[in-house]
Amino acid sequence: MSDMNDTQVSRLPQRQNLAPLLVPLVVGGLVAVALGLYGRVHAPTGYAVGPAGFSGPLAMKSWLTTGAFLLALVQVFSALVMWGKIKMDVPWIGTLHRWSGRIAFVLTIPVAFHCLYALGAQFDVARVMVHSLLGCFFYGVFTAKMLALPRRGLPGWTLPLLGGLAFTALTGLWLTSSLWFFTTIGVKL
């Protein structure tokens, strides 16, 4: 017989079922590894891909990454409001969160395409190595977050953790690319 009464038993930490998180984490990990492998084995073309209106591919990548980073700040703010950490009565905050995330992600696609296709994953310069690894990690954790969103029964920390990791990775990407570009090359469109 146990010496604990029902009240004491109910206060014990409950075991959380992490099984629903397994598929998003495995698929996200596979995405990160696949991007890293592709970036390493693919022979970089050196061919610059960039939308019109920019002075060159580095400027395009810097400005699009800056836009994604600013929208990621909106993501953090809107998530804090949605989770009740910032008290605001804003009925459209969920819509703002979803659309700022969608647009931020879309802004990263031409950047990632150029990085992987034209440059590949590089490990000879510390800044570029960190940038390459963060890029793979970002897309892996983003994939895991998107796959975790519709799942029920996940621990309450899942989405804040995955969102925080995506934000951290994007911040690192911005620091190792856009900030470097703006402080080394200069602010150019």
Side-chain angles (χ1 to χ4, degrees):
M1 278 270 155
S2 173
D3 293 335
M4 298 166 96
N5 63 35
D6 288 339
T7 304
Q8 291 170 319
V9 171
S10 68
R11 289 186 193 158
L12 291 175
Q14 300 294 318
R15 293 196 69 200
Q16 295 179 331
N17 183 12
L18 298 179
L21 192 53
L22 185 61
V23 169
L25 290 179
V26 168
V27 173
L30 290 172
V31 165
V33 169
L35 288 173
L37 286 174
Y38 176 79
R40 251 344 246 168
V41 301
H42 165 72
T45 65
Y47 177 69
V49 177
F54 293 99
S55 61
L58 290 179
M60 178 270 302
K61 289 170 40 178
S62 296
W63 283 109
L64 292 180
T65 303
T66 298
F69 174 67
L70 292 173
L71 288 168
L73 292 172
V74 172
Q75 285 272 285
V76 170
F77 174 77
S78 59
L80 290 171
V81 172
M82 289 185 330
W83 289 87
K85 302 298 180 188
I86 296 176
K87 304 292 184 214
M88 290 181 72
D89 184 25
V90 186
W92 42 265
I93 199 73
T95 302
L96 174 66
H97 186 79
R98 284 186 299 279
W99 279 100
S100 62
R102 289 170 181 158
I103 295 168
F105 180 75
V106 166
L107 289 177
T108 69
I109 292 172
V111 176
F113 177 78
H114 179 271
C115 287
L116 281 171
Y117 186 71
L119 305 174
Q122 300 177 21
F123 299 118
D124 46 347
V125 176
R127 177 190 62 80
V128 179
M129 177 187 68
V130 169
H131 184 77
S132 295
L133 294 172
L134 282 172
C136 296
F137 179 75
F138 170 76
Y139 281 99
V141 76
F142 180 84
T143 300
K145 183 181 180 220
M146 292 301 104
L147 292 175
L149 273 172
R151 294 188 178 266
R152 301 293 171 236
L154 292 175
W157 50 262
T158 303
L159 293 178
L161 177 64
L162 293 174
L165 288 172
F167 175 75
T168 301
L170 189 56
T171 300
L173 287 167
W174 183 80
L175 291 170
T176 57
S177 62
S178 299
L179 181 63
W180 173 85
F181 177 81
F182 294 140
T183 57
T184 304
I185 308 296
V187 177
K188 297 179 180 183
L189 286 177

